[in-house]
Amino acid sequence: LQNGKPIGWIFTLHPGVAQAFGLEHHVGLAEINFTKLVEKPRLPATFKPLPKFPITTFDLSLLIDKKTEVADLEKIMRNAIASSGQPDARNPLRAIELFDMYCGAGIPEGKKSIAINVVFQPYEHTLTDAEIESLCKKIIDSVAAKTGGKLRG
């Protein structure tokens, strides 16, 4: 559809017609009005340069309230790094991924244990151990201050 109007059709050939032509398999057909298809202007392509510096990953195991949503936790973690004075384009935080969640034996009532993988990849230089520790501390401190969560271990 383009502007609510069809610009083509995709369909299968009726098995009886296929058999009449001696075709043993299902046949798919398409009819597309390419003139209409190319009328719509294309959005300009945007590119980011490939990173020159290595990624750094670390896993966090946190004990948080059962009611705390992982999406809210991710926002808190992203904001902790974004508020560190780095412009958005230079923010080294690339990904936050939940890989484990557990409630049960060994976990206090009303709490859950979650494990999260955090990925940093800076654009300007390889992160030093001190920078990685500082970034991790910002995340952990922010989670503790905003959710009462704490590092498990």
Side-chain angles (χ1 to χ4, degrees):
L1 291 178
Q2 188 178 64
N3 299 326
K5 296 179 182 172
I7 60 168
W9 306 96
I10 298 176
F11 49 94
T12 59
L13 189 63
H14 188 279
V17 175
Q19 187 178 13
F21 283 95
L23 302 172
E24 298 176 11
H25 302 284
H26 295 283
V27 177
L29 302 165
E31 178 183 337
I32 300 172
N33 183 334
F34 282 99
T35 304
K36 295 282 185 190
L37 183 66
V38 296
E39 280 178 1
K40 186 175 183 180
R42 292 170 54 161
L43 297 174
T46 58
F47 301 94
K48 284 185 183 179
L50 292 174
K52 296 178 185 176
F53 303 100
I55 63 169
T56 299
T57 65
F58 72 95
D59 295 338
L60 277 177
S61 182
L62 300 166
L63 191 62
I64 60 174
D65 286 335
K66 242 183 192 178
K67 295 178 183 176
T68 303
E69 297 287 331
V70 173
D72 295 335
L73 194 64
E74 182 177 347
K75 284 180 193 171
I76 291 167
M77 296 169 85
R78 287 189 182 283
N79 288 338
I81 301 303
S83 67
S84 65
Q86 299 263 6
D88 286 344
R90 299 293 176 223
N91 184 333
L93 182 59
R94 292 290 160 257
I96 297 172
E97 184 176 330
L98 173 74
F99 67 88
D100 190 33
M101 186 180 314
Y102 175 72
C103 301
I107 303 299
E109 185 69 30
K111 301 284 185 183
K112 63 184 170 186
S113 172
I114 62 167
I116 294 176
N117 178 259
V118 180
V119 178
F120 292 118
Q121 186 168 37
Y123 280 101
E124 297 170 339
H125 65 282
T126 300
L127 292 174
T128 65
D129 288 346
E131 289 171 315
I132 295 166
E133 285 179 32
S134 173
L135 291 167
C136 294
K137 183 173 178 358
K138 285 177 185 176
I139 288 174
I140 294 164
D141 290 349
S142 186
V143 167
K146 295 193 168 122
T147 70
K150 57 185 171 185
L151 207 52
R152 194 164 179 250

